[in-house]
Amino acid sequence: MTHHEHPDADLIRRGYEAFSKGDMEALAATMTSDCTHHAPGTTRFGGHFKGRDNVLAMFGEMFEYTGGSMRVELKGVYPDGRGHVISTHKFYAEHGDRGIEMNGAMFFTIIGGKVSDVDECVEDITELDAFYSLDG
Protein backbone atom coordinates (compact mmCIF):
# COMPACT_ATOMS: atom_id res chain seq x y z
CA MET A 1 0.00 0.00 0.00
CA THR A 2 1.42 3.39 -1.01
CA HIS A 3 1.18 6.02 1.68
CA HIS A 4 0.27 9.43 0.31
CA GLU A 5 0.83 12.07 2.94
CA HIS A 6 -1.38 15.13 3.11
CA PRO A 7 0.51 18.26 1.86
CA ASP A 8 0.00 19.96 5.26
CA ALA A 9 1.66 17.02 7.04
CA ASP A 10 4.53 17.13 4.55
CA LEU A 11 4.98 20.87 5.22
CA ILE A 12 5.31 20.26 8.97
CA ARG A 13 7.79 17.40 8.46
CA ARG A 14 9.91 19.72 6.28
CA GLY A 15 9.79 22.34 9.02
CA TYR A 16 11.01 19.89 11.67
CA GLU A 17 13.76 18.71 9.34
CA ALA A 18 14.93 22.27 8.72
CA PHE A 19 14.84 23.08 12.45
CA SER A 20 16.84 19.95 13.25
CA LYS A 21 19.52 20.93 10.73
CA GLY A 22 19.54 24.54 11.96
CA ASP A 23 18.58 25.55 8.41
CA MET A 24 16.73 28.78 9.19
CA GLU A 25 16.32 29.64 5.50
CA ALA A 26 14.45 26.41 4.79
CA LEU A 27 12.44 26.85 8.00
CA ALA A 28 11.53 30.43 7.01
CA ALA A 29 10.20 29.09 3.70
CA THR A 30 7.57 27.06 5.59
CA MET A 31 6.13 30.15 7.35
CA THR A 32 4.01 33.14 6.39
CA SER A 33 5.75 36.49 6.97
CA ASP A 34 3.29 37.31 9.79
CA CYS A 35 3.57 33.86 11.41
CA THR A 36 3.02 33.87 15.18
CA HIS A 37 4.52 31.34 17.60
CA HIS A 38 2.85 31.00 21.01
CA ALA A 39 5.50 29.44 23.25
CA PRO A 40 4.84 28.04 26.73
CA GLY A 41 6.35 29.37 29.95
CA THR A 42 7.32 32.70 31.46
CA THR A 43 10.99 33.02 30.45
CA ARG A 44 12.31 35.03 27.49
CA PHE A 45 11.61 31.95 25.37
CA GLY A 46 7.95 31.94 26.39
CA GLY A 47 5.16 34.19 25.14
CA HIS A 48 3.92 35.37 21.79
CA PHE A 49 6.44 35.87 19.00
CA LYS A 50 4.79 37.73 16.13
CA GLY A 51 6.32 37.77 12.65
CA ARG A 52 8.56 35.19 11.00
CA ASP A 53 11.74 37.20 11.72
CA ASN A 54 10.96 37.37 15.45
CA VAL A 55 10.13 33.65 15.59
CA LEU A 56 13.42 32.77 13.85
CA ALA A 57 15.37 35.16 16.12
CA MET A 58 13.88 33.41 19.16
CA PHE A 59 14.92 30.02 17.75
CA GLY A 60 18.42 31.44 17.16
CA GLU A 61 18.65 32.56 20.81
CA MET A 62 17.43 29.14 21.88
CA PHE A 63 20.21 27.43 19.89
CA GLU A 64 22.68 29.87 21.48
CA TYR A 65 21.38 29.26 25.03
CA THR A 66 21.63 25.48 24.52
CA GLY A 67 25.04 25.70 22.85
CA GLY A 68 23.61 24.13 19.72
CA SER A 69 22.66 21.01 21.69
CA MET A 70 18.91 21.27 21.10
CA ARG A 71 17.44 18.47 19.06
CA VAL A 72 13.90 17.41 18.36
CA GLU A 73 12.68 13.90 17.62
CA LEU A 74 9.42 13.99 15.68
CA LYS A 75 6.93 11.34 16.86
CA GLY A 76 3.74 12.01 14.92
CA VAL A 77 2.08 14.41 12.47
CA TYR A 78 -1.71 14.61 12.35
CA PRO A 79 -3.47 16.83 9.79
CA ASP A 80 -7.22 17.50 9.82
CA GLY A 81 -7.37 18.41 6.12
CA ARG A 82 -8.85 21.80 7.00
CA GLY A 83 -5.69 23.79 7.63
CA HIS A 84 -4.62 22.38 10.98
CA VAL A 85 -1.88 19.95 11.95
CA ILE A 86 -0.91 18.63 15.36
CA SER A 87 2.60 17.25 15.81
CA THR A 88 4.07 15.40 18.75
CA HIS A 89 7.77 15.26 19.56
CA LYS A 90 10.43 14.83 22.19
CA PHE A 91 13.09 17.47 22.59
CA TYR A 92 16.50 17.38 24.22
CA ALA A 93 18.73 20.29 25.19
CA GLU A 94 21.62 21.19 27.47
CA HIS A 95 22.77 24.36 29.18
CA GLY A 96 26.08 24.14 31.01
CA ASP A 97 25.89 20.93 33.04
CA ARG A 98 22.09 20.83 33.05
CA GLY A 99 19.94 18.93 30.59
CA ILE A 100 16.29 18.66 29.71
CA GLU A 101 14.39 15.92 27.93
CA MET A 102 10.67 16.47 27.43
CA ASN A 103 7.66 15.54 25.34
CA GLY A 104 5.79 18.29 23.58
CA ALA A 105 3.29 19.04 20.88
CA MET A 106 2.50 21.78 18.39
CA PHE A 107 -0.81 22.90 16.96
CA PHE A 108 -0.28 24.52 13.55
CA THR A 109 -2.62 26.67 11.48
CA ILE A 110 -1.78 26.59 7.79
CA ILE A 111 -2.82 29.18 5.24
CA GLY A 112 -1.87 28.99 1.56
CA GLY A 113 0.54 26.12 2.14
CA LYS A 114 2.48 27.91 4.90
CA VAL A 115 2.37 27.97 8.69
CA SER A 116 0.63 31.10 9.96
CA ASP A 117 0.20 30.23 13.63
CA VAL A 118 1.80 27.77 16.07
CA ASP A 119 0.64 26.92 19.57
CA GLU A 120 3.32 24.97 21.44
CA CYS A 121 2.56 22.77 24.43
CA VAL A 122 4.94 20.91 26.75
CA GLU A 123 4.77 18.13 29.30
CA ASP A 124 5.99 20.22 32.24
CA ILE A 125 5.96 24.04 32.04
CA THR A 126 7.56 24.44 35.49
CA GLU A 127 10.54 22.28 34.52
CA LEU A 128 10.83 24.08 31.18
CA ASP A 129 10.89 27.49 32.89
CA ALA A 130 13.51 26.27 35.38
CA PHE A 131 15.73 25.05 32.53
CA TYR A 132 15.44 28.32 30.57
CA SER A 133 16.15 30.38 33.72
CA LEU A 134 19.60 28.92 34.44
CA ASP A 135 22.50 31.36 34.86
CA GLY A 136 25.65 31.36 32.77
Side-chain angles (χ1 to χ4, degrees):
M1 184 178 122
T2 312
H3 177 66
H4 294 287
E5 190 161 57
H6 191 278
D8 290 350
D10 180 58
L11 173 75
I12 299 313
R13 285 188 192 280
R14 281 189 285 127
Y16 269 88
E17 195 179 320
F19 183 90
S20 293
K21 288 179 181 167
D23 185 345
M24 292 299 133
E25 206 172 304
L27 187 57
T30 67
M31 303 174 177
T32 62
S33 61
D34 63 351
C35 179
T36 303
H37 186 112
H38 309 276
T42 56
T43 68
R44 65 187 169 117
F45 299 113
H48 307 285
F49 298 86
K50 295 181 198 308
R52 178 173 53 207
D53 294 348
N54 292 324
V55 173
L56 294 171
M58 182 266 286
F59 289 156
E61 284 181 31
M62 212 173 245
F63 279 120
E64 207 173 292
Y65 182 83
T66 62
S69 67
M70 178 168 281
R71 62 188 183 86
V72 180
E73 200 178 287
L74 185 58
K75 300 284 191 189
V77 180
Y78 311 103
D80 72 351
R82 296 187 310 275
H84 303 106
V85 174
I86 289 175
S87 65
T88 57
H89 59 250
K90 188 167 204 174
F91 64 92
Y92 307 82
E94 289 165 24
H95 180 83
D97 59 357
R98 296 282 295 279
I100 193 168
E101 180 179 317
M102 191 177 289
N103 292 310
M106 305 263 205
F107 179 81
F108 297 92
T109 303
I110 295 162
I111 296 173
K114 293 193 174 194
V115 172
S116 69
D117 197 85
V118 188
D119 273 298
E120 182 181 352
C121 300
V122 291
E123 200 170 27
D124 187 335
I125 294 172
T126 309
E127 187 188 338
L128 186 78
D129 276 349
F131 176 76
Y132 281 136
S133 302
L134 297 168
D135 291 329

